[in-house]
Amino acid sequence: MARGDNRYMVSGSESQSSVPRPQRATSNPSSSDAYDEGTEISVLTTRIGIYGWKKFCLYIVVLFLIALSLLNIGLIVFLFRVVNLDLDSAGPMHFYKDRVLVRGRAEFQGGITASNISGFDNSTLLVESNQQIILRSLESPPSTQKSTVVLDGINVNVDTPNFQLTYDNTPFFTASPEQTVIASNDIVVESPLGLRIDGSVLVPKISNAYDRGEGLTVESIGQQLTMRGVEDVTMESTTNRVDIKAQQGINLQSTQGDIVLDASNLRLTDLPHNGGSGPRHLCMCGGSKRIYTVVHTSTCSQAASSFC
């Protein structure tokens, strides 16, 4: 740099390099007149910015990020349209503050925890599974007591310590390991083979259905029929007769009391007799207690040799 001149001169040629090299000189300018006194000044010239291949790569990266952002936005919009997502719904499921409403078919891969599951008004609630449907209720706090209902294609299994059917909060069927209580007014068994009970039946009364007009039949096929009571056993017909029939014999036995035949007329048919007609005498053998009849013109002792 020349002295005594206000112009700045930098050694070297600018054509040799796009970025000129800095030149350094000592300087202590204290006033504007210092330049005229031969002061050397250091000047640093630097180009600011990104040029060449770096600038090209930066633009490529920016364009790639913009394209990726637009692609993500398009995919999000596509998913919202396909899955029918909204601010308060997802397909057939609509989310509210106090409930979840399902309009259509929904499949749940895991468990569902809810305090209430109900159907729409005037519609059917369908719970369907190609495997078992298990309904289980546990006591709170959890213990060994639980109730389970298992539904499959063949059986309905109810596992509970106490099973009860009610109508209008009134139980009409209760079953437990101790006893089974049926509180219905009428129990009808439509089986053609009837009702089979393995064990004893304790009932205060057995009566027929009067409106059907079928009567009441107590029958034992191939086995004996026993009617036993600690106190009185009564067989009564208030409007018609009582028939007791047997193929081999009828035994009337009283260990302590009497056998009383109380009727206005007593008819003994097909008793052994010695022939004849007219009034007859009723006789009994002393040893065998066999009853026979003889005509009134004869005596029992005369015919005893024939019947006893």
Side-chain angles (χ1 to χ4, degrees):
M1 177 181 295
R3 297 180 178 178
D5 194 354
N6 292 332
R7 294 177 300 175
Y8 301 99
M9 296 180 63
V10 181
S11 63
S13 176
E14 293 183 358
S15 60
Q16 295 178 358
S17 176
S18 60
V19 180
R21 297 179 181 178
Q23 295 180 357
R24 183 177 180 181
T26 60
S27 174
N28 187 16
S30 60
S31 64
S32 60
D33 297 334
Y35 297 105
D36 297 334
E37 297 176 357
T39 303
E40 294 182 358
I41 299 174
S42 177
V43 179
L44 180 62
T45 303
T46 305
R47 298 182 63 182
I48 301 174
I50 300 176
Y51 301 94
W53 63 272
K54 296 181 179 180
K55 180 177 180 180
F56 177 77
C57 291
L58 178 62
Y59 287 163
I60 292 297
V61 171
V62 171
L63 291 176
F64 176 76
L65 293 177
I66 293 175
L68 185 61
S69 300
L70 294 177
L71 180 61
N72 290 333
I73 294 174
L75 289 176
I76 293 174
V77 174
F78 174 76
L79 291 177
F80 269 76
R81 294 297 300 272
V82 171
V83 188
N84 196 14
L85 294 177
D86 203 347
L87 295 178
D88 57 352
S89 64
M93 303 182 64
H94 300 265
F95 303 96
Y96 298 94
K97 183 178 180 180
D98 56 347
R99 69 184 189 276
V100 176
L101 183 63
V102 180
R103 296 183 179 272
R105 185 180 181 90
E107 295 183 4
F108 300 93
Q109 300 296 330
I112 300 176
T113 302
S115 59
N116 185 17
I117 299 177
S118 60
F120 298 109
D121 296 336
N122 300 324
S123 62
T124 302
L125 177 62
L126 176 63
V127 179
E128 184 178 4
S129 174
N130 57 1
Q131 299 294 328
Q132 291 182 344
I133 296 178
I134 300 176
L135 304 177
R136 180 178 293 114
S137 176
L138 302 176
E139 285 189 354
S140 179
S143 63
T144 58
Q145 296 291 336
K146 63 181 180 179
S147 298
T148 306
V149 179
V150 180
L151 294 86
D152 54 27
I154 301 176
N155 300 318
V156 176
N157 186 11
V158 180
D159 185 5
T160 179
N162 188 11
F163 180 73
Q164 188 177 77
L165 298 178
T166 62
Y167 176 74
D168 197 14
N169 295 327
T170 301
F172 62 89
F173 181 85
T174 304
S176 64
E178 291 77 16
Q179 65 177 358
T180 299
V181 179
I182 301 176
S184 300
N185 296 328
D186 193 9
I187 300 175
V188 179
V189 179
E190 297 290 347
S191 174
L193 299 178
L195 176 63
R196 177 180 176 180
I197 300 176
D198 295 334
S200 60
V201 179
L202 303 178
V203 293
K205 183 180 180 180
I206 298 176
S207 60
N208 66 316
Y210 181 78
D211 54 348
R212 295 190 177 185
E214 298 177 355
L216 176 63
T217 301
V218 180
E219 182 179 8
S220 177
I221 301 176
Q223 302 292 333
Q224 65 179 4
L225 176 62
T226 303
M227 299 178 62
R228 183 183 298 113
V230 178
E231 296 184 357
D232 296 340
V233 177
T234 302
M235 299 176 62
E236 180 181 1
S237 176
T238 58
T239 59
N240 212 323
R241 65 190 183 191
V242 176
D243 294 334
I244 300 176
K245 298 179 180 180
Q247 183 178 359
Q248 295 182 359
I250 297 176
N251 297 326
L252 300 177
Q253 181 181 0
S254 178
T255 57
Q256 295 182 359
D258 301 329
I259 297 177
V260 179
L261 301 177
D262 185 6
S264 57
N265 295 314
L266 180 61
R267 300 178 59 186
L268 300 176
T269 62
D270 297 334
L271 291 177
H273 58 85
N274 60 353
S277 61
R280 312 187 69 84
H281 297 292
L282 185 63
C283 305
M284 179 181 293
C285 297
S288 62
K289 308 299 181 181
R290 184 181 183 186
I291 298 176
Y292 59 94
T293 62
V294 297
V295 293
H296 67 284
T297 58
S298 178
T299 62
C300 292
S301 59
Q302 294 176 352
S305 60
S306 301
F307 297 102
C308 301

